[in-house]
Amino acid sequence: MSIQKRILGLAGIGLFLAGAGWGSNYYVNDANTNGDVYTSAVGVDAPGRGTTPADPLLSLAYLLNIYDLNGGDTVYVDTGIYSNQTTTIAASQSGGAGNPMTIQGSTNYFYSGGTVFDGGSFDLVASSCRLQDFAFKRSSVGYGLSVYGNSNEVYRVLSERHGGSGFYTLGFRNAFYNCVALNNAYGGSTELGGLYVYENRPTLWQGGLMLNNKFGMYADASLTISNSLILGGNMAFSRNTLPRGDHCVFWDTNIRDKQASITPLVNLLDLQLATTSFAHSVYADPQLAAADATNYYPRSLVGRYNPATGSWVTDTVHSVLIDLGSPFSTAFTNEPMPHGGRENVGLYSGMAQASKSRTNAWVMALSLNDGGEFSGTNRLYWNHGTNFPGGIATAKVDLAYSP
């Protein structure tokens, strides 16, 4: 069972297709039709092809060279492994505000992991584009996906086993949603890892997963992180300047270890004090179904989706990811009942396969969860749930302190 399938096997997800403008559709397929979603023939690189499902091109790079893409256009890259291809989406192929140019990968993660670019390089130089449902593995240039343009949106992309960072962005106002950076930067000696954001480049990382990268994120305060997990690896952050964010879960990693010219952060409280953010985040075991087997669904006492069978199962433990998301988000309405009236954290937050909420009253301490010490006047934060008949209950909280 493939990594891409088990990370992003989200049944019933609607595709984010071309936006406000009218555009053309283009098609790419590998040398076979196994597991295909969009095309009905194998790909062949030749002039005049690539405009219907029956005559796809063999490589995205060839298509980008012969067609002038613009806002409203959509390129469908079907199921398959595309090896050692050098792909550049040029600035001339940009979309527009509210009218992106879209590159859509396969949603058939159950066959070979969907659309997989193995080796080679992939550079997004264009702006106002939307890239969705891809996997990038073992890049020949060190970075998995490099984003140089501005105002791009990247959805459900897996980037793994690169010598440098899984994701690199040099542009402004780029956003990454429900993406995964896995086992990156172990071939190098730098501070790279899951995500590298160049200085002073406003960037959003939301609903994502950083897992077992040498370093989680190399970024300054221009990066905002929300509803995400940072698990494993040497340390979560590898710069003295730090990103901002909240509603995140850290586990099995140092927040920031002692390195040359880097001040260590011993626990989550240190991060909160250094950034005046992450107040509603927690350092705790996320209780994923089987992280070592790339099954990243949070365990639930009430119901967890099992991608292997397509059914729902229950667990004996309940993940802290459930109902930890932002209380201002309405995405919880997309989650199955009972959903607790609060979005989950992680890859499946706000989706039909989000793990289900408890139906009894509960509270969980967030502040000082992994240790630390308050003195003077400070705020303590809690998470809670009241998703049960009547919606009102009393939960007892005991506080002890040293004078």
Side-chain angles (χ1 to χ4, degrees):
M1 189 173 292
S2 67
I3 269 185
Q4 178 81 340
K5 165 204 161 180
R6 300 187 70 173
I7 292 178
L8 303 174
L10 308 175
I13 288 182
L15 304 181
F16 296 88
L17 302 181
W22 295 97
S24 301
N25 294 332
Y26 301 91
Y27 300 88
V28 174
N29 194 20
D30 65 351
N32 65 68
T33 58
N34 296 332
D36 285 346
V37 177
Y38 311 120
T39 61
S40 57
V42 300
V44 176
D45 282 343
R49 292 178 59 90
T51 58
T52 73
D55 66 349
L57 292 166
L58 182 61
S59 70
L60 177 58
Y62 188 90
L63 184 147
L64 293 168
N65 284 331
I66 65 172
Y67 291 113
D68 182 19
L69 304 182
N70 294 285
D73 292 339
T74 300
V75 179
Y76 296 95
V77 185
D78 220 334
T79 308
I81 298 177
Y82 300 81
S83 299
N84 301 316
Q85 298 192 6
T86 299
T87 305
T88 300
I89 304 173
S92 60
Q93 295 167 320
S94 298
N99 188 31
M101 190 276 285
T102 300
I103 309 290
Q104 174 67 55
S106 170
T107 56
N108 187 5
Y109 313 118
F110 291 84
Y111 188 88
S112 298
T115 300
V116 180
F117 278 60
D118 195 344
S121 63
F122 198 104
D123 295 339
L124 177 53
V125 183
S127 297
S128 299
C129 293
R130 191 173 277 161
L131 180 70
Q132 303 176 155
D133 301 299
F134 277 78
F136 300 105
K137 302 182 180 184
R138 294 177 286 267
S139 169
S140 62
V141 296
Y143 296 119
L145 170 64
S146 297
V147 183
Y148 297 96
N150 306 317
S151 303
N152 293 294
E153 296 179 342
V154 178
Y155 292 87
R156 301 179 300 277
V157 167
L158 163 69
S159 191
E160 66 164 319
R161 300 185 187 280
H162 307 288
S165 290
F167 298 87
Y168 171 72
T169 177
L170 186 65
F172 293 82
R173 299 176 304 280
N174 293 308
F176 301 83
Y177 300 99
N178 304 103
C179 294
V180 180
L182 174 66
N183 292 329
N184 292 294
Y186 282 101
S189 59
T190 66
E191 59 277 281
L192 305 181
L195 172 66
Y196 185 132
V197 179
Y198 199 79
E199 293 181 357
N200 301 314
R201 302 301 198 269
T203 301
L204 174 65
W205 178 272
Q206 181 171 308
L209 169 63
M210 295 278 166
L211 178 61
N212 292 336
N213 301 286
K214 184 175 183 180
F215 301 108
M217 298 181 173
Y218 185 81
D220 60 15
S222 62
L223 172 65
T224 300
I225 312 166
S226 69
N227 280 41
S228 296
L229 292 80
I230 302 180
L231 311 178
N234 291 4
M235 69 175 94
F237 306 113
S238 56
R239 288 191 60 166
N240 252 329
T241 51
L242 292 161
R244 302 297 185 265
D246 208 353
H247 304 285
C248 294
V249 174
F250 302 84
W251 182 244
D252 194 28
T253 185
N254 296 301
I255 299 299
R256 190 173 65 190
D257 203 356
K258 182 175 178 59
Q259 300 279 325
S261 76
I262 296 180
T263 304
L265 300 176
V266 176
N267 49 38
L268 183 57
L269 176 62
D270 285 349
L271 175 65
Q272 293 164 343
L273 295 174
T275 62
T276 64
S277 63
F278 295 101
H280 305 93
S281 301
V282 65
Y283 192 98
D285 186 345
Q287 295 290 352
L288 301 177
D292 58 341
T294 65
N295 184 349
Y296 302 129
Y297 290 86
R299 297 185 185 192
S300 169
L301 295 169
V302 181
R304 165 178 57 83
Y305 182 73
N306 183 351
T309 62
S311 61
W312 291 82
V313 297
T314 57
D315 300 294
T316 58
V317 295
H318 198 78
S319 171
V320 299
L321 304 180
I322 300 171
D323 297 334
L324 185 62
S326 170
F328 303 106
S329 171
T330 59
F332 69 84
T333 58
N334 300 319
E335 299 180 356
M337 293 292 289
H339 54 51
R342 183 86 169 264
E343 183 181 9
N344 293 352
V345 163
L347 294 178
Y348 310 103
S349 60
M351 295 183 178
Q353 293 177 347
S355 295
K356 298 179 181 181
S357 303
R358 286 171 284 188
T359 56
N360 61 304
W362 57 271
V363 294
M364 182 184 72
L366 299 178
S367 300
L368 304 177
N369 188 276
D370 63 328
E373 181 178 292
F374 273 154
S375 62
T377 302
N378 293 280
R379 291 185 177 182
L380 295 175
Y381 291 92
W382 306 82
N383 196 19
H384 72 283
T386 56
N387 182 39
F388 56 93
I392 300 174
T394 299
K396 182 181 178 181
V397 176
D398 293 320
L399 295 176
Y401 67 95
S402 299

